């Protein structure tokens, strides 16, 4: 991974470069555009993403960002849950912690790196020319449980807020 593993396990570090929570607004140029849900200030990233599954975060290698064409990877539907798309083992917990979290009092806060399935999601995006003269952000409406964002192979930010919105400014990283 791009950031230090100690950052991932540090319970005091919740985010790096994540935008503060705010009201989300989308602009439309005409009433007809609003009716059709077509905004000139929004790119919908839902759909198929290139995907690589790793049994543990220790197996992730950052060289994947420059190791070849995305069509050589698996694909996964976003939004979606990787465990429900054939990767890892799904589990449902109504009153407990995920199996990766040690609940022994002496071990808290401890997260297993040997039992922590990890997904690497990649996507090529064409940025419209009119985006290039303004600030550009990427928003994920939920991830479980740690999200790390890189653009063009450069680390952008990190967030550990499970199933909360995650937004990062990507203006300096796009071209």
């Amino acid at each position: 991974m791009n950031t230090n593993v100690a950052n991932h396990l540090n319970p005091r570090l919740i985010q790096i470069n994540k935008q503060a929570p705010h009201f989300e607004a989308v602009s439309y140029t005409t009433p007809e555009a609003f009716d059709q849900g077509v905004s000139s200030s929004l790119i919908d990233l839902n759909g198929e993403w290139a995907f690589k599954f790793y049994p543990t975060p220790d197996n992730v290698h950052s060289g994947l960002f420059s190791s070849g064409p995305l069509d050589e990877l698996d694909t996964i539907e976003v939004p979606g849950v990787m465990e429900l798309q054939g990767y890892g083992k799904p589990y449902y917990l109504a009153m407990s912690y995920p199996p990766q979290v040690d609940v022994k009092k002496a071990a808290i806060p401890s997260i297993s790196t040997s039992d922590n399935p990890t997904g690497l999601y990649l996507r090529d995006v064409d940025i419209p020319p009119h985006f290039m003269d303004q600030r550009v952000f990427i928003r994920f409406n939920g991830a479980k449980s740690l999200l790390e964002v890189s653009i063009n192979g450069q680390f952008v930010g990190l967030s550990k807020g499970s199933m909360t919105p995650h937004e990062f400014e990507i203006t300096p990283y796009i071209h």
Side-chain angles (χ1 to χ4, degrees):
M1 297 196 149
N2 288 328
T3 59
N4 180 317
V5 172
N7 286 344
H8 295 174
L9 299 176
N10 181 349
R12 290 190 167 96
L13 179 67
I14 304 299
Q15 62 194 28
I16 298 173
N17 296 333
K18 181 179 171 186
Q19 296 294 303
H22 61 87
F23 173 74
E24 180 183 2
V26 176
S27 61
Y28 299 91
T29 54
T30 66
E32 293 77 25
F34 172 77
D35 290 340
Q36 296 169 2
V38 177
S39 170
S40 63
S41 66
L42 183 69
I43 300 172
D44 186 353
L45 297 178
N46 291 347
E48 282 193 354
W49 284 55
F51 180 78
K52 179 73 175 169
F53 176 78
Y54 296 94
T56 74
D58 294 336
N59 297 121
V60 176
H61 63 88
S62 60
L64 185 62
F65 293 109
S66 58
S67 68
L70 297 182
D71 60 4
E72 293 178 5
L73 299 173
D74 293 342
T75 59
I76 197 165
E77 193 66 28
V78 172
V81 177
M82 70 179 184
E83 291 87 356
L84 297 180
Q85 295 184 57
Y87 299 94
K89 183 172 70 175
Y91 59 88
Y92 172 79
L93 303 169
M95 306 215 21
S96 184
Y97 290 98
Q100 296 81 9
V101 177
D102 197 332
V103 294
K104 296 180 193 103
K105 193 171 186 177
I108 296 174
S110 175
I111 298 174
S112 171
T113 57
S114 63
D115 178 22
N116 198 350
T118 302
L120 188 62
Y121 297 74
L122 299 106
R123 172 91 184 249
D124 282 332
V125 178
D126 291 326
I127 304 294
H130 69 275
F131 275 50
M132 301 310 282
D133 60 354
Q134 60 187 337
R135 293 174 70 196
V136 180
F137 297 84
I138 189 166
R139 180 180 179 90
F140 301 90
N141 286 327
K144 194 175 186 178
S145 62
L146 182 139
L147 171 74
E148 187 175 305
V149 177
S150 294
I151 303 286
N152 293 321
Q154 294 182 291
F155 174 74
V156 173
L158 170 141
S159 178
K160 296 182 191 175
S162 186
M163 304 311 289
T164 63
H166 313 273
E167 187 174 58
F168 303 90
E169 181 171 3
I170 62 170
T171 309
Y173 306 97
I174 60 174
H175 53 78

